[in-house]
Amino acid sequence: MLDNIKKYQVRLGSKSPRRRELMKELRIPFGIVSLGGVDEKYPDDIDPMKAAEYVAKIKADAYLPHLDEDDLLITADTMVILGDRIMGKPHNAEEAMEMLRSLSGCTHYVTTGVTITTKGRQVAFTSVTEVDFAEISDEEARYYIDNYSPFDKAGAYGIQEWIGCVAVAGIRGSYYNVMGLPVHRLYQELKKF
């Protein structure tokens, strides 16, 4: 499978355990690389639907000087968008609660921007999933915050966790995109690379 990329050492530039888990499911041998201190800021006036891809490119560009000729680097960034508001990772329990209250009873979008980068080429794309959130009580939100780890997740929730079972009423698009890596689209892009 994917004979076209066998000449490369595939690297995942991510600290996310979910992205690692999803990459393993593709059965592509890969290693993990991690740079600290990458500035993931995006312009204030950016189209919210393009922000995740913008940040994925920033991450890729930070790694570029460290890549060998046979390295193929995959970077990604996931964001939750409600209206025109971009929700990143909450910094504390209060911010997580505010995010979950905002999402309660609403439909939002989850975007994941992905880059595939070598020394000589870069391909970038964005995957979008529409997520319907049921209304949740403060008690349910607090239970989730106290018993799970919303602080490393855009929008303060993980669809694969308890909150996904009780609050996600429906999705249109990739479930795995909401987890943090649109593996179907990534596989298709790697086939063409």
Side-chain angles (χ1 to χ4, degrees), residues 159-180:
I159 193 170
Q160 72 280 7
E161 297 174 336
W162 177 83
I163 195 95
C165 295
V166 301
V168 175
I171 67 169
R172 284 162 297 289
S174 169
Y175 172 87
Y176 299 110
N177 183 54
V178 183
M179 280 183 69

PDB file of all heavy atoms in Angstrom, residues 159-180:
ATOM      1  N   ILE A 159     -14.893  14.019  20.989  1.00  0.00           N
ATOM      2  CA  ILE A 159     -16.069  13.281  20.520  1.00  0.00           C
ATOM      3  C   ILE A 159     -16.009  11.813  20.923  1.00  0.00           C
ATOM      4  O   ILE A 159     -17.037  11.169  21.104  1.00  0.00           O
ATOM      5  CB  ILE A 159     -16.247  13.428  18.982  1.00  0.00           C
ATOM      6  CG1 ILE A 159     -17.625  12.947  18.543  1.00  0.00           C
ATOM      7  CG2 ILE A 159     -15.105  12.748  18.240  1.00  0.00           C
ATOM      8  CD1 ILE A 159     -17.974  13.282  17.102  1.00  0.00           C
ATOM      9  N   GLN A 160     -14.806  11.277  21.104  1.00  0.00           N
ATOM     10  CA  GLN A 160     -14.623   9.871  21.439  1.00  0.00           C
ATOM     11  C   GLN A 160     -14.812   9.598  22.925  1.00  0.00           C
ATOM     12  O   GLN A 160     -14.779   8.453  23.352  1.00  0.00           O
ATOM     13  CB  GLN A 160     -13.233   9.403  20.976  1.00  0.00           C
ATOM     14  CG  GLN A 160     -12.077   9.928  21.790  1.00  0.00           C
ATOM     15  CD  GLN A 160     -11.650  11.360  21.438  1.00  0.00           C
ATOM     16  OE1 GLN A 160     -12.287  12.045  20.652  1.00  0.00           O
ATOM     17  NE2 GLN A 160     -10.565  11.803  22.048  1.00  0.00           N
ATOM     18  N   GLU A 161     -15.045  10.624  23.707  1.00  0.00           N
ATOM     19  CA  GLU A 161     -15.214  10.485  25.150  1.00  0.00           C
ATOM     20  C   GLU A 161     -16.696  10.548  25.548  1.00  0.00           C
ATOM     21  O   GLU A 161     -17.573  10.679  24.697  1.00  0.00           O
ATOM     22  CB  GLU A 161     -14.418  11.586  25.863  1.00  0.00           C
ATOM     23  CG  GLU A 161     -12.920  11.465  25.616  1.00  0.00           C
ATOM     24  CD  GLU A 161     -12.107  12.612  26.182  1.00  0.00           C
ATOM     25  OE1 GLU A 161     -12.648  13.714  26.381  1.00  0.00           O
ATOM     26  OE2 GLU A 161     -10.919  12.407  26.416  1.00  0.00           O
ATOM     27  N   TRP A 162     -16.952  10.496  26.830  1.00  0.00           N
ATOM     28  CA  TRP A 162     -18.316  10.494  27.376  1.00  0.00           C
ATOM     29  C   TRP A 162     -19.176  11.605  26.780  1.00  0.00           C
ATOM     30  O   TRP A 162     -20.326  11.372  26.412  1.00  0.00           O
ATOM     31  CB  TRP A 162     -18.230  10.618  28.910  1.00  0.00           C
ATOM     32  CG  TRP A 162     -19.558  10.693  29.587  1.00  0.00           C
ATOM     33  CD1 TRP A 162     -20.362   9.637  29.937  1.00  0.00           C
ATOM     34  CD2 TRP A 162     -20.256  11.872  29.983  1.00  0.00           C
ATOM     35  NE1 TRP A 162     -21.511  10.091  30.533  1.00  0.00           N
ATOM     36  CE2 TRP A 162     -21.475  11.469  30.580  1.00  0.00           C
ATOM     37  CE3 TRP A 162     -19.979  13.235  29.905  1.00  0.00           C
ATOM     38  CZ2 TRP A 162     -22.399  12.367  31.085  1.00  0.00           C
ATOM     39  CZ3 TRP A 162     -20.894  14.131  30.413  1.00  0.00           C
ATOM     40  CH2 TRP A 162     -22.099  13.703  30.989  1.00  0.00           C
ATOM     41  N   ILE A 163     -18.636  12.789  26.687  1.00  0.00           N
ATOM     42  CA  ILE A 163     -19.416  13.928  26.183  1.00  0.00           C
ATOM     43  C   ILE A 163     -19.897  13.686  24.759  1.00  0.00           C
ATOM     44  O   ILE A 163     -20.984  14.100  24.374  1.00  0.00           O
ATOM     45  CB  ILE A 163     -18.618  15.252  26.286  1.00  0.00           C
ATOM     46  CG1 ILE A 163     -19.534  16.463  26.107  1.00  0.00           C
ATOM     47  CG2 ILE A 163     -17.485  15.327  25.286  1.00  0.00           C
ATOM     48  CD1 ILE A 163     -20.029  17.059  27.363  1.00  0.00           C
ATOM     49  N   GLY A 164     -19.087  12.993  23.958  1.00  0.00           N
ATOM     50  CA  GLY A 164     -19.510  12.656  22.603  1.00  0.00           C
ATOM     51  C   GLY A 164     -20.704  11.730  22.607  1.00  0.00           C
ATOM     52  O   GLY A 164     -21.606  11.851  21.764  1.00  0.00           O
ATOM     53  N   CYS A 165     -20.733  10.805  23.552  1.00  0.00           N
ATOM     54  CA  CYS A 165     -21.856   9.863  23.658  1.00  0.00           C
ATOM     55  C   CYS A 165     -23.150  10.565  24.042  1.00  0.00           C
ATOM     56  O   CYS A 165     -24.222  10.217  23.548  1.00  0.00           O
ATOM     57  CB  CYS A 165     -21.544   8.788  24.695  1.00  0.00           C
ATOM     58  SG  CYS A 165     -20.167   7.711  24.258  1.00  0.00           S
ATOM     59  N   VAL A 166     -23.066  11.543  24.934  1.00  0.00           N
ATOM     60  CA  VAL A 166     -24.296  12.147  25.464  1.00  0.00           C
ATOM     61  C   VAL A 166     -24.681  13.464  24.789  1.00  0.00           C
ATOM     62  O   VAL A 166     -25.831  13.884  24.870  1.00  0.00           O
ATOM     63  CB  VAL A 166     -24.207  12.365  26.991  1.00  0.00           C
ATOM     64  CG1 VAL A 166     -23.957  11.037  27.705  1.00  0.00           C
ATOM     65  CG2 VAL A 166     -23.159  13.394  27.372  1.00  0.00           C
ATOM     66  N   ALA A 167     -23.740  14.121  24.109  1.00  0.00           N
ATOM     67  CA  ALA A 167     -24.042  15.450  23.576  1.00  0.00           C
ATOM     68  C   ALA A 167     -24.010  15.549  22.059  1.00  0.00           C
ATOM     69  O   ALA A 167     -24.665  16.428  21.499  1.00  0.00           O
ATOM     70  CB  ALA A 167     -23.070  16.480  24.163  1.00  0.00           C
ATOM     71  N   VAL A 168     -23.267  14.688  21.388  1.00  0.00           N
ATOM     72  CA  VAL A 168     -23.200  14.795  19.930  1.00  0.00           C
ATOM     73  C   VAL A 168     -24.410  14.075  19.331  1.00  0.00           C
ATOM     74  O   VAL A 168     -24.484  12.852  19.316  1.00  0.00           O
ATOM     75  CB  VAL A 168     -21.870  14.238  19.382  1.00  0.00           C
ATOM     76  CG1 VAL A 168     -21.883  14.256  17.853  1.00  0.00           C
ATOM     77  CG2 VAL A 168     -20.696  15.062  19.912  1.00  0.00           C
ATOM     78  N   ALA A 169     -25.360  14.887  18.850  1.00  0.00           N
ATOM     79  CA  ALA A 169     -26.607  14.347  18.310  1.00  0.00           C
ATOM     80  C   ALA A 169     -26.462  13.922  16.856  1.00  0.00           C
ATOM     81  O   ALA A 169     -27.229  13.094  16.373  1.00  0.00           O
ATOM     82  CB  ALA A 169     -27.715  15.390  18.442  1.00  0.00           C
ATOM     83  N   GLY A 170     -25.497  14.487  16.147  1.00  0.00           N
ATOM     84  CA  GLY A 170     -25.298  14.109  14.750  1.00  0.00           C
ATOM     85  C   GLY A 170     -24.075  14.791  14.181  1.00  0.00           C
ATOM     86  O   GLY A 170     -23.616  15.809  14.700  1.00  0.00           O
ATOM     87  N   ILE A 171     -23.532  14.194  13.120  1.00  0.00           N
ATOM     88  CA  ILE A 171     -22.418  14.816  12.413  1.00  0.00           C
ATOM     89  C   ILE A 171     -22.617  14.645  10.911  1.00  0.00           C
ATOM     90  O   ILE A 171     -23.263  13.691  10.462  1.00  0.00           O
ATOM     91  CB  ILE A 171     -21.038  14.256  12.823  1.00  0.00           C
ATOM     92  CG1 ILE A 171     -20.860  12.796  12.404  1.00  0.00           C
ATOM     93  CG2 ILE A 171     -20.789  14.415  14.302  1.00  0.00           C
ATOM     94  CD1 ILE A 171     -19.429  12.293  12.559  1.00  0.00           C
ATOM     95  N   ARG A 172     -22.077  15.587  10.163  1.00  0.00           N
ATOM     96  CA  ARG A 172     -22.016  15.499   8.715  1.00  0.00           C
ATOM     97  C   ARG A 172     -20.563  15.725   8.340  1.00  0.00           C
ATOM     98  O   ARG A 172     -20.036  16.821   8.529  1.00  0.00           O
ATOM     99  CB  ARG A 172     -22.936  16.537   8.067  1.00  0.00           C
ATOM    100  CG  ARG A 172     -24.402  16.115   8.151  1.00  0.00           C
ATOM    101  CD  ARG A 172     -25.386  17.238   7.932  1.00  0.00           C
ATOM    102  NE  ARG A 172     -25.337  18.317   8.911  1.00  0.00           N
ATOM    103  CZ  ARG A 172     -25.750  18.221  10.193  1.00  0.00           C
ATOM    104  NH1 ARG A 172     -26.217  17.090  10.654  1.00  0.00           N
ATOM    105  NH2 ARG A 172     -25.685  19.260  10.992  1.00  0.00           N
ATOM    106  N   GLY A 173     -19.926  14.652   7.888  1.00  0.00           N
ATOM    107  CA  GLY A 173     -18.503  14.706   7.602  1.00  0.00           C
ATOM    108  C   GLY A 173     -17.775  13.628   8.378  1.00  0.00           C
ATOM    109  O   GLY A 173     -18.382  12.695   8.898  1.00  0.00           O
ATOM    110  N   SER A 174     -16.469  13.772   8.470  1.00  0.00           N
ATOM    111  CA  SER A 174     -15.616  12.753   9.064  1.00  0.00           C
ATOM    112  C   SER A 174     -15.609  12.795  10.589  1.00  0.00           C
ATOM    113  O   SER A 174     -15.278  13.818  11.189  1.00  0.00           O
ATOM    114  CB  SER A 174     -14.185  12.935   8.547  1.00  0.00           C
ATOM    115  OG  SER A 174     -13.282  12.137   9.276  1.00  0.00           O
ATOM    116  N   TYR A 175     -15.949  11.671  11.196  1.00  0.00           N
ATOM    117  CA  TYR A 175     -15.845  11.513  12.652  1.00  0.00           C
ATOM    118  C   TYR A 175     -14.392  11.685  13.088  1.00  0.00           C
ATOM    119  O   TYR A 175     -14.092  12.345  14.085  1.00  0.00           O
ATOM    120  CB  TYR A 175     -16.364  10.127  13.028  1.00  0.00           C
ATOM    121  CG  TYR A 175     -16.142   9.735  14.480  1.00  0.00           C
ATOM    122  CD1 TYR A 175     -17.066  10.094  15.457  1.00  0.00           C
ATOM    123  CD2 TYR A 175     -15.029   8.993  14.869  1.00  0.00           C
ATOM    124  CE1 TYR A 175     -16.876   9.733  16.784  1.00  0.00           C
ATOM    125  CE2 TYR A 175     -14.834   8.629  16.182  1.00  0.00           C
ATOM    126  CZ  TYR A 175     -15.763   8.997  17.142  1.00  0.00           C
ATOM    127  OH  TYR A 175     -15.564   8.641  18.449  1.00  0.00           O
ATOM    128  N   TYR A 176     -13.466  11.089  12.317  1.00  0.00           N
ATOM    129  CA  TYR A 176     -12.055  11.142  12.678  1.00  0.00           C
ATOM    130  C   TYR A 176     -11.506  12.560  12.584  1.00  0.00           C
ATOM    131  O   TYR A 176     -10.575  12.917  13.307  1.00  0.00           O
ATOM    132  CB  TYR A 176     -11.243  10.172  11.822  1.00  0.00           C
ATOM    133  CG  TYR A 176     -11.688   8.748  12.021  1.00  0.00           C
ATOM    134  CD1 TYR A 176     -12.351   8.056  11.015  1.00  0.00           C
ATOM    135  CD2 TYR A 176     -11.480   8.103  13.238  1.00  0.00           C
ATOM    136  CE1 TYR A 176     -12.776   6.752  11.211  1.00  0.00           C
ATOM    137  CE2 TYR A 176     -11.907   6.807  13.434  1.00  0.00           C
ATOM    138  CZ  TYR A 176     -12.552   6.134  12.425  1.00  0.00           C
ATOM    139  OH  TYR A 176     -12.983   4.852  12.627  1.00  0.00           O
ATOM    140  N   ASN A 177     -12.074  13.359  11.710  1.00  0.00           N
ATOM    141  CA  ASN A 177     -11.696  14.767  11.644  1.00  0.00           C
ATOM    142  C   ASN A 177     -11.967  15.447  12.983  1.00  0.00           C
ATOM    143  O   ASN A 177     -11.162  16.244  13.448  1.00  0.00           O
ATOM    144  CB  ASN A 177     -12.474  15.465  10.526  1.00  0.00           C
ATOM    145  CG  ASN A 177     -12.079  16.906  10.370  1.00  0.00           C
ATOM    146  OD1 ASN A 177     -10.912  17.232  10.206  1.00  0.00           O
ATOM    147  ND2 ASN A 177     -13.063  17.789  10.438  1.00  0.00           N
ATOM    148  N   VAL A 178     -13.094  15.131  13.598  1.00  0.00           N
ATOM    149  CA  VAL A 178     -13.440  15.725  14.893  1.00  0.00           C
ATOM    150  C   VAL A 178     -12.458  15.241  15.962  1.00  0.00           C
ATOM    151  O   VAL A 178     -12.128  15.982  16.885  1.00  0.00           O
ATOM    152  CB  VAL A 178     -14.909  15.423  15.282  1.00  0.00           C
ATOM    153  CG1 VAL A 178     -15.285  16.115  16.588  1.00  0.00           C
ATOM    154  CG2 VAL A 178     -15.867  15.853  14.167  1.00  0.00           C
ATOM    155  N   MET A 179     -11.951  14.027  15.815  1.00  0.00           N
ATOM    156  CA  MET A 179     -10.931  13.519  16.749  1.00  0.00           C
ATOM    157  C   MET A 179      -9.591  14.215  16.555  1.00  0.00           C
ATOM    158  O   MET A 179      -8.763  14.227  17.459  1.00  0.00           O
ATOM    159  CB  MET A 179     -10.740  12.012  16.571  1.00  0.00           C
ATOM    160  CG  MET A 179     -11.793  11.177  17.257  1.00  0.00           C
ATOM    161  SD  MET A 179     -11.466   9.398  17.092  1.00  0.00           S
ATOM    162  CE  MET A 179      -9.996   9.193  18.098  1.00  0.00           C
ATOM    163  N   GLY A 180      -9.362  14.781  15.356  1.00  0.00           N
ATOM    164  CA  GLY A 180      -8.120  15.525  15.157  1.00  0.00           C
ATOM    165  C   GLY A 180      -7.311  15.181  13.923  1.00  0.00           C
ATOM    166  O   GLY A 180      -6.306  15.832  13.650  1.00  0.00           O
TER     167      GLY A 180
END
